[in-house]
Amino acid sequence: MHKAVLTLGLLINICSSICIVFLNKWLYVHHGFPNMTLTCIHFTTTYIGLRLCAFFNVFQPKRLSVFKVAPLSLAFCGFVVFTNLSLQNNTVGTYQLAKALTTPTIVAIHTFFYNKSYSTQIKLTVIPIIVGVFLNSYYDVKFNWVGTFYASLGVIVTSVYQVWVGTKQKEFQANFMQLLYYQAPISAAMLAVAVLIFEPVTSEKGLLSSWSGSSILVVLASGVVAFSVNLSIYWIIGNTSPVTYP
């Protein structure tokens, strides 16, 4: 792949990821917008975006087994929900540093469960990451166990999800848009059930509550950015490796 194209894809992902962090944090801090509801909206907007792409022949949908895609969809739910809960309960700095642990976790999963070997140079790069996260956690004045719990779950589920994204694209012989086209609506349906149980839409902070115009605009903006983030995640992992993305 041409280096310029790869660099562009990485830049799009980085910019989108930064934008969605601040948009989501603003919604959590200033409006207390429900986490799973917001995530469900992100999945729905991702699917709508992919439907538009298919309509304009950007890609051709491929028939896949819903049951085979379901585990990946469930991991997708956990990945986004737990990372958002980490963002909700941690500072932005701590949230970002915790995400950095995804790289050594992916290396560990590949090593112990997929018998994949990494060079000594790659293994040595994870040491400063682990040390940096430990030092930040030790000196962060806003350190809390709830945030740490969600951050830890987020790292584990995210790592599993990113490993599966790479393996499933090869297993199903599907490109990143074809796989996400099936995964996004299944994930949205799974999360919609969870929302009805844990975040009723008619509650004080539910989806049908009275939201200001500014909060609605930010929710819609975060949905559009989420589409860009999700698409670029698949593209990067499909064209490089899970270790490259984090």
Side-chain angles (χ1 to χ4, degrees):
M1 174 172 295
H2 199 281
K3 288 185 177 180
V5 177
L6 178 58
T7 302
L8 178 61
L10 289 169
L11 285 174
I12 291 173
N13 180 263
I14 291 170
C15 293
S16 301
S17 298
I18 292 173
C19 287
I20 202 166
V21 165
F22 286 104
L23 288 171
N24 289 355
K25 191 67 174 179
W26 188 86
L27 285 168
Y28 295 146
V29 172
H30 296 284
H31 294 277
F33 202 89
N35 172 45
M36 285 189 288
T37 299
L38 182 61
T39 305
C40 190
I41 291 172
H42 288 174
F43 293 163
T44 303
T45 53
T46 295
Y47 179 63
I48 292 172
L50 287 165
R51 288 283 295 181
L52 289 173
C53 288
F55 178 79
F56 289 106
N57 294 318
V58 176
F59 77 102
Q60 293 296 322
K62 180 178 181 178
R63 184 176 295 276
L64 299 173
S65 169
V66 173
F67 293 103
K68 289 184 178 180
V69 177
L72 184 62
S73 298
L74 184 60
F76 190 32
C77 292
F79 151 52
V80 181
V81 168
F82 287 129
T83 52
N84 281 348
L85 284 171
S86 173
L87 176 62
Q88 194 171 5
N89 290 276
N90 290 308
T91 62
V92 172
T94 299
Y95 160 81
Q96 292 288 17
L97 275 173
K99 281 184 65 178
L101 285 174
T102 303
T103 299
T105 305
I106 288 174
V107 171
I109 291 173
H110 271 153
T111 302
F112 293 107
F113 295 99
Y114 289 86
N115 295 318
K116 182 176 180 178
S117 60
Y118 286 91
S119 66
T120 303
Q121 289 87 344
I122 292 179
K123 291 178 180 178
L124 288 175
T125 60
V126 305
I127 296 176
I129 295 175
I130 296 172
V131 172
V133 173
F134 172 78
L135 290 175
N136 176 79
S137 301
Y138 186 80
Y139 290 106
D140 188 347
V141 294
K142 293 187 178 181
F143 172 82
N144 66 90
W145 289 108
V146 174
T148 301
F149 174 73
Y150 287 131
S152 300
L153 284 178
V155 168
I156 294 170
V157 178
T158 299
S159 301
V160 172
Y161 171 71
Q162 290 181 16
V163 169
W164 281 0
V165 166
T167 58
K168 295 301 181 183
Q169 286 190 58
K170 294 176 182 177
E171 178 184 338
F172 299 148
Q173 292 296 299
N175 64 37
F176 65 103
M177 298 186 85
Q178 290 171 331
L179 186 53
L180 188 58
Y181 181 79
Y182 265 82
Q183 181 201 304
I186 297 173
S187 297
M190 289 177 173
L191 211 53
V193 175
V195 165
L196 292 175
I197 297 173
F198 299 105
E199 296 175 351
V201 294
T202 55
S203 65
E204 183 180 353
K205 287 293 182 179
L207 182 62
L208 300 182
S209 301
S210 178
W211 299 101
S212 65
S214 60
S215 63
I216 293 174
L217 286 175
V218 175
V219 168
L220 293 176
S222 70
V224 173
V225 176
F227 169 65
S228 176
V229 172
N230 293 330
L231 207 60
S232 57
I233 287 174
Y234 265 73
W235 185 85
I236 291 170
I237 294 176
N239 289 283
T240 56
S241 72
V243 174
T244 303
Y245 169 69

